[in-house]
Short mmCIF file of all heavy atoms in Angstrom, two decimals:
data_model
loop_
_atom_site.label_atom_id
_atom_site.label_comp_id
_atom_site.label_asym_id
_atom_site.label_seq_id
_atom_site.Cartn_x
_atom_site.Cartn_y
_atom_site.Cartn_z
N ILE A 157 52.45 -30.25 -261.66
CA ILE A 157 53.17 -29.72 -260.50
C ILE A 157 52.22 -28.96 -259.57
O ILE A 157 52.29 -29.06 -258.35
CB ILE A 157 54.36 -28.81 -260.95
CG1 ILE A 157 55.43 -29.67 -261.63
CG2 ILE A 157 54.95 -28.04 -259.77
CD1 ILE A 157 56.50 -28.89 -262.35
N ASN A 158 51.29 -28.20 -260.16
CA ASN A 158 50.39 -27.36 -259.37
C ASN A 158 49.13 -28.08 -258.90
O ASN A 158 48.28 -27.46 -258.26
CB ASN A 158 49.98 -26.12 -260.19
CG ASN A 158 51.19 -25.23 -260.49
OD1 ASN A 158 52.12 -25.20 -259.69
ND2 ASN A 158 51.17 -24.55 -261.62
N SER A 159 48.99 -29.34 -259.23
CA SER A 159 47.78 -30.08 -258.83
C SER A 159 48.15 -31.24 -257.92
O SER A 159 49.32 -31.59 -257.78
CB SER A 159 47.04 -30.59 -260.07
OG SER A 159 47.87 -31.47 -260.80
N THR A 160 47.13 -31.85 -257.33
CA THR A 160 47.33 -33.01 -256.44
C THR A 160 46.52 -34.17 -256.98
O THR A 160 45.30 -34.04 -257.17
CB THR A 160 46.87 -32.68 -255.01
OG1 THR A 160 47.44 -31.46 -254.59
CG2 THR A 160 47.28 -33.79 -254.05
N PRO A 161 47.15 -35.33 -257.25
CA PRO A 161 46.40 -36.49 -257.74
C PRO A 161 45.31 -36.92 -256.75
O PRO A 161 45.47 -36.77 -255.53
CB PRO A 161 47.47 -37.57 -257.89
CG PRO A 161 48.77 -36.83 -257.99
CD PRO A 161 48.60 -35.60 -257.16
N ALA A 162 44.23 -37.47 -257.28
CA ALA A 162 43.11 -37.91 -256.45
C ALA A 162 43.56 -38.96 -255.43
O ALA A 162 43.09 -38.97 -254.28
CB ALA A 162 42.00 -38.48 -257.33
N ALA A 163 44.47 -39.86 -255.83
CA ALA A 163 44.96 -40.90 -254.92
C ALA A 163 45.70 -40.31 -253.73
O ALA A 163 45.58 -40.79 -252.60
CB ALA A 163 45.86 -41.89 -255.67
N THR A 164 46.47 -39.24 -253.99
CA THR A 164 47.21 -38.57 -252.90
C THR A 164 46.24 -37.89 -251.94
O THR A 164 46.41 -37.95 -250.72
CB THR A 164 48.20 -37.54 -253.48
OG1 THR A 164 49.06 -38.19 -254.41
CG2 THR A 164 49.03 -36.90 -252.39
N GLU A 165 45.21 -37.24 -252.49
CA GLU A 165 44.23 -36.57 -251.63
C GLU A 165 43.44 -37.58 -250.80
O GLU A 165 43.13 -37.32 -249.63
CB GLU A 165 43.28 -35.70 -252.47
CG GLU A 165 43.96 -34.49 -253.06
CD GLU A 165 43.00 -33.34 -253.35
OE1 GLU A 165 41.76 -33.58 -253.34
OE2 GLU A 165 43.47 -32.22 -253.59
N PHE A 166 43.11 -38.73 -251.38
CA PHE A 166 42.40 -39.77 -250.62
C PHE A 166 43.27 -40.23 -249.46
O PHE A 166 42.78 -40.39 -248.33
CB PHE A 166 42.06 -40.95 -251.53
CG PHE A 166 41.38 -42.09 -250.82
CD1 PHE A 166 40.04 -42.00 -250.47
CD2 PHE A 166 42.08 -43.24 -250.47
CE1 PHE A 166 39.41 -43.06 -249.80
CE2 PHE A 166 41.46 -44.29 -249.80
CZ PHE A 166 40.11 -44.19 -249.46
N TRP A 167 44.56 -40.45 -249.71
CA TRP A 167 45.49 -40.92 -248.70
C TRP A 167 45.69 -39.88 -247.58
O TRP A 167 45.55 -40.19 -246.40
CB TRP A 167 46.82 -41.27 -249.36
CG TRP A 167 48.00 -41.52 -248.46
CD1 TRP A 167 49.18 -40.83 -248.46
CD2 TRP A 167 48.15 -42.54 -247.47
NE1 TRP A 167 50.04 -41.34 -247.54
CE2 TRP A 167 49.44 -42.40 -246.90
CE3 TRP A 167 47.32 -43.56 -247.00
CZ2 TRP A 167 49.92 -43.23 -245.90
CZ3 TRP A 167 47.80 -44.39 -245.99
CH2 TRP A 167 49.07 -44.23 -245.45
N GLU A 168 45.97 -38.65 -247.96
CA GLU A 168 46.32 -37.63 -246.96
C GLU A 168 45.10 -37.01 -246.28
O GLU A 168 45.14 -36.73 -245.08
CB GLU A 168 47.17 -36.53 -247.62
CG GLU A 168 48.55 -37.02 -248.05
CD GLU A 168 49.40 -35.92 -248.66
OE1 GLU A 168 48.88 -34.79 -248.84
OE2 GLU A 168 50.58 -36.19 -248.96
N ARG A 169 44.01 -36.81 -247.05
CA ARG A 169 42.87 -36.08 -246.49
C ARG A 169 41.75 -37.01 -245.99
O ARG A 169 41.00 -36.63 -245.09
CB ARG A 169 42.32 -35.11 -247.55
CG ARG A 169 43.33 -34.05 -247.96
CD ARG A 169 42.78 -33.19 -249.10
NE ARG A 169 41.61 -32.46 -248.67
CZ ARG A 169 41.64 -31.29 -248.03
NH1 ARG A 169 42.81 -30.73 -247.74
NH2 ARG A 169 40.53 -30.67 -247.69
N ARG A 170 41.64 -38.21 -246.57
CA ARG A 170 40.56 -39.12 -246.15
C ARG A 170 41.07 -40.19 -245.17
O ARG A 170 40.48 -40.40 -244.13
CB ARG A 170 39.97 -39.82 -247.40
CG ARG A 170 38.85 -40.83 -247.08
CD ARG A 170 37.58 -40.11 -246.61
NE ARG A 170 36.50 -41.07 -246.36
CZ ARG A 170 36.29 -41.68 -245.20
NH1 ARG A 170 37.09 -41.46 -244.18
NH2 ARG A 170 35.29 -42.53 -245.06
#
Side-chain angles (χ1 to χ4, degrees):
I157 292 169
N158 295 330
S159 61
T160 310
T164 304
E165 290 206 346
F166 178 76
W167 168 239
E168 292 181 355
R169 298 175 64 84
R170 179 70 178 88

